[in-house]
Amino acid sequence: MRINLLFISIILIVLIGECITHEYIDKDQAELWSNNFRIISWILMGIWFYQLQKGIFEFRQWLFLFSIVLPVAVSLISFLLPEPIAIIVNICINTFIFLIWIYYFHAMGAKISFRDSDNNFQKIIPAFLIFPLSFYFFSLYEALSGVYSIIVFIYTVIFSYTGILSVFLPVGDERRLYIILGFSLLVVANILNAYHTFLERLFWAYPVVRAITVASKCMFIYGIADFRVKKI
């Protein structure tokens, strides 16, 4: 419990520093410093995941650890490339991250069931499938053109499938609750970020989206980190 509080506290401090530097320092330096803080937060999450696994690591855990720190590349690309190209690369990298999660969830034993005893499929369809796809078709589709409409649609489908699959992870109720809450927050973060990127700039978007994203990833790490991957 102490290690969880320690890492969450440090990650929170880093997040506060990131938001402050992005909003309140010189504009030319804001992106640089906020990127530095983002990189630190992802590295801290990777270390936290590693610590929670208690040194028991197989290929699948290493792959998931890689997906946790891969957003470091997103931060560097966002800083180095022109915005139109950075957006495309960002979406592609995040799609790859969710493909890793799908592989990892399957390796843990997740299997979608349409008639499980808890009616999980019926409960999570609105949050993890209907909401993202509805937002894409009714809000984003007309605003997107060319390659953007294709890659965003592919991302939305893979993202939705990842969320549905995560509900069927064979973990305890407490862990599953954190996983579901984490992905629910990720749905909100993705919708806000897409609205800010493609539809209308929101002056408050950065700190809100970043806070929700960091909170969701922390819930995910806690929810799955102590679970032993089954042998297949």
Side-chain angles (χ1 to χ4, degrees):
M1 188 64 181
R2 290 182 179 179
I3 190 173
N4 294 331
L5 291 175
L6 175 62
F7 274 98
I8 290 173
S9 299
I10 297 174
I11 291 170
L12 176 60
I13 292 172
V14 172
L15 174 64
I16 292 173
E18 176 190 340
C19 294
I20 290 175
T21 54
H22 186 271
E23 299 296 329
Y24 295 108
I25 69 172
D26 180 77
K27 184 177 180 180
D28 294 334
Q29 296 294 319
E31 192 63 29
L32 172 64
W33 282 102
S34 60
N35 264 291
N36 290 338
F37 278 112
R38 280 201 301 275
I39 291 171
I40 293 172
S41 67
W42 297 126
I43 292 175
L44 285 170
M45 289 181 193
I47 296 172
W48 183 25
F49 175 78
Y50 181 83
Q51 292 294 324
L52 288 176
Q53 289 293 143
K54 300 176 182 177
I56 304 175
F57 256 69
E58 299 177 355
F59 171 74
R60 300 177 185 90
Q61 285 101 327
W62 284 114
L63 191 61
F64 191 82
L65 176 60
F66 174 69
S67 76
I68 294 176
V69 299
L70 189 55
V72 170
V74 177
S75 294
L76 293 174
I77 289 169
S78 299
F79 180 71
L80 296 174
L81 296 180
E83 185 176 19
I85 299 176
I87 291 173
I88 294 175
V89 176
N90 189 328
I91 296 173
C92 291
I93 291 177
N94 278 285
T95 301
F96 180 63
I97 289 173
F98 288 121
L99 289 173
I100 292 176
W101 287 19
I102 290 171
Y103 170 81
Y104 189 69
F105 294 166
H106 277 299
M108 291 172 70
K111 185 177 181 181
I112 295 175
S113 173
F114 295 94
R115 294 183 178 179
D116 64 305
S117 58
D118 295 326
N119 293 318
N120 284 317
F121 192 82
Q122 290 84 351
K123 291 177 182 177
I124 49 82
I125 280 181
F128 297 162
L129 182 62
I130 295 178
F131 285 174
L133 289 176
S134 296
F135 179 74
Y136 173 82
F137 284 112
F138 295 108
S139 297
L140 284 182
Y141 182 73
E142 292 185 359
L144 299 175
S145 60
V147 67
Y148 285 107
S149 61
I150 298 173
I151 63 173
V152 172
F153 177 72
I154 293 173
Y155 172 84
T156 303
V157 172
I158 293 175
F159 172 77
S160 297
Y161 179 75
T162 307
I164 294 172
L165 190 62
S166 70
V167 178
F168 294 91
L169 285 166
V171 297
D173 290 339
E174 180 188 356
R175 298 281 179 169
R176 182 178 289 106
L177 176 61
Y178 278 101
I179 291 170
I180 293 174
L181 287 175
F183 210 91
S184 298
L185 288 177
L186 209 53
V187 171
V188 175
N190 273 267
I191 289 176
L192 286 176
N193 193 38
Y195 188 93
H196 174 72
T197 302
F198 297 112
L199 298 178
E200 181 182 356
R201 293 289 178 174
L202 305 171
F203 72 92
W204 46 265
Y206 186 88
V208 172
V209 171
R210 284 296 298 147
I212 295 174
T213 301
V214 170
S216 69
K217 292 297 179 67
C218 287
M219 289 181 179
F220 250 108
I221 290 172
Y222 178 76
I224 70 171
D226 198 32
F227 184 80
R228 297 293 175 263
V229 178
K230 71 170 187 176
K231 300 288 185 180
I232 58 172

